Amino acid sequence: MKKLFIGSNLKLYKTNLQTLQYLKSLQELTQDISRDLLELFIFPTQLALSDSIGEVDRKYITIGAQNVHWTSEGPYTGEVSARSVKELGIDLVLVGHAERRQVFGDTDQLINKRVTNSLNEGLQVLLCVGDTIQDKELEISEEKLVLQLKTALHGIPESLLEKIWIAYEPVWAIGEGGIVASPEFANSIHQVLRKILVGISQNYGSKIPIIYGGSVNNLNALDLISQPEIDGLFIGRSAWDAENLNKIIRIALSALNL
Ligand code: PGA
């Protein structure tokens, strides 16, 4: 049976208090759902991580950091290390989100360093890859994504690949003005990514979840999750209300035909 990976990146949209209220309500609303069917993960702001981990029962909600530095210590004022995140009891980190790439200039090489350090410190990594509208128009989306994926995973020992989840998030689909990818297009891209992963590792490549993100909402969630290659949904705006995220989770679970 397919286990669904569903989560949200809260970006810079909730204060500490709002985050805790959100998590409390999300846990209550989804507690009855078997975690054999659902991996539910939330990325609060860095400042809210410590309180968040105290607020939730980790058997219901996995808390992740939105970013970590690429080394464990050093002269990097204002940064947060994977080591200290792990020490807090956090198990997951987001690497390569489109906003990190576009707003903060994270390159594929830098992302590879963040992934490597996070894995070495024992964190699970949700690695995002995404094509731009220009890539799509030039019909080079696949090439771009293969490059991003291969560079990000370069040099990672095979045994650590089980600590990787992938999110395909087209830049043109994310945020205000984004247009959701058609389920068929997303599925075909996931197929390409799967092929690369299996090429990197026969053992783990077929097991790494590949999650879709970008303008997911109540109306498109079912069609997306019903695609054979889509293992989960990574949701921004539509997930920032706990009740609505709960609704989307139940819509997605209905695809499992239990
Ligand atoms: P969105 O954001 O669902 O609001 O488009 C997705 C994301 O940025 O991960």
Side-chain angles (χ1 to χ4, degrees):
M1 166 112 26
K2 178 157 148 175
K3 177 178 184 174
L4 302 187
F5 290 74
I6 300 184
S8 183
N9 170 13
L10 303 184
K11 305 188 182 181
L12 193 52
Y13 282 108
K14 285 188 196 292
T15 64
N16 283 10
L17 209 58
Q18 288 169 336
T19 303
L20 298 186
Q21 284 161 351
Y22 170 82
L23 290 171
K24 187 168 186 274
S25 146
L26 186 61
Q27 181 166 304
E28 280 167 11
L29 288 164
T30 61
Q31 222 155 358
D32 64 306
I33 301 169
S34 160
R35 267 32 183 192
D36 293 338
L37 303 175
L38 174 69
E39 172 72 49
L40 179 57
F41 53 95
I42 302 293
F43 296 96
T45 62
Q46 308 288 50
L47 203 57
L49 284 176
S50 182
D51 288 346
S52 297
I53 201 79
E55 181 68 40
V56 299
D57 183 335
R58 70 178 66 193
K59 73 173 184 275
Y60 296 115
I61 302 178
T62 300
I63 299 294
Q66 292 179 15
N67 182 41
V68 289
H69 192 67
W70 58 85
T71 57
S72 295
E73 58 179 37
Y76 301 109
T77 304
E79 289 293 312
V80 169
S81 73
R83 184 172 294 170
S84 51
V85 161
K86 180 73 186 168
E87 195 183 74
L88 275 187
I90 306 286
D91 296 316
L92 176 67
V93 64
L94 183 60
V95 181
H97 187 272
E99 287 155 14
R100 293 297 320 175
R101 293 176 188 264
Q102 300 218 311
V103 184
F104 298 99
D106 278 18
T107 60
D108 290 338
Q109 285 75 12
L110 203 63
I111 286 162
N112 173 249
K113 286 165 94 175
R114 290 195 205 277
V115 171
T116 305
N117 185 253
S118 298
L119 292 174
N120 286 340
E121 292 294 347
L123 292 169
Q124 184 85 33
V125 172
L126 175 53
L127 168 67
C128 297
V129 293
D131 50 331
T132 63
I133 189 67
Q134 290 83 2
D135 298 332
K136 190 159 190 272
E137 282 166 5
L138 291 167
E139 298 180 3
I140 56 167
S141 293
E142 291 187 13
E143 288 83 347
K144 271 296 190 62
L145 293 162
V146 169
L147 194 73
Q148 287 180 9
L149 188 59
K150 283 190 165 175
T151 311
L153 297 181
H154 179 75
I156 304 297
E158 196 183 14
S159 60
L160 289 179
L161 289 175
E162 62 178 348
K163 304 281 280 181
I164 298 277
W165 302 340
I166 304 293
Y168 168 51
E169 293 211 301
V171 178
W172 42 270
I174 292 176
E176 291 300 334
I179 302 160
V180 66
S182 74
E184 296 74 24
F185 181 83
N187 193 63
S188 70
I189 294 288
H190 282 221
Q191 233 162 8
V192 172
L193 299 175
R194 175 69 66 206
K195 219 170 132 192
I196 299 299
L197 292 172
V198 172
I200 293 173
S201 167
Q202 289 276 334
N203 290 330
Y204 297 107
S206 58
K207 300 189 192 111
I208 295 173
I210 308 179
I211 303 164
Y212 170 81
S215 290
V216 175
N217 60 32
N218 306 47
L219 299 178
N220 56 36
L222 184 59
D223 285 346
L224 286 162
I225 202 67
S226 300
Q227 296 293 319
E229 303 289 336
I230 298 184
D231 300 315
L233 302 170
F234 192 26
I235 314 165
R237 290 158 295 158
S238 299
W240 297 336
D241 173 73
E243 287 194 6
N244 204 52
L245 177 52
N246 176 45
K247 280 186 194 152
I248 296 179
I249 290 169
R250 286 167 200 277
I251 290 169
L253 284 170
S254 73
L256 296 178
N257 292 323
L258 296 173

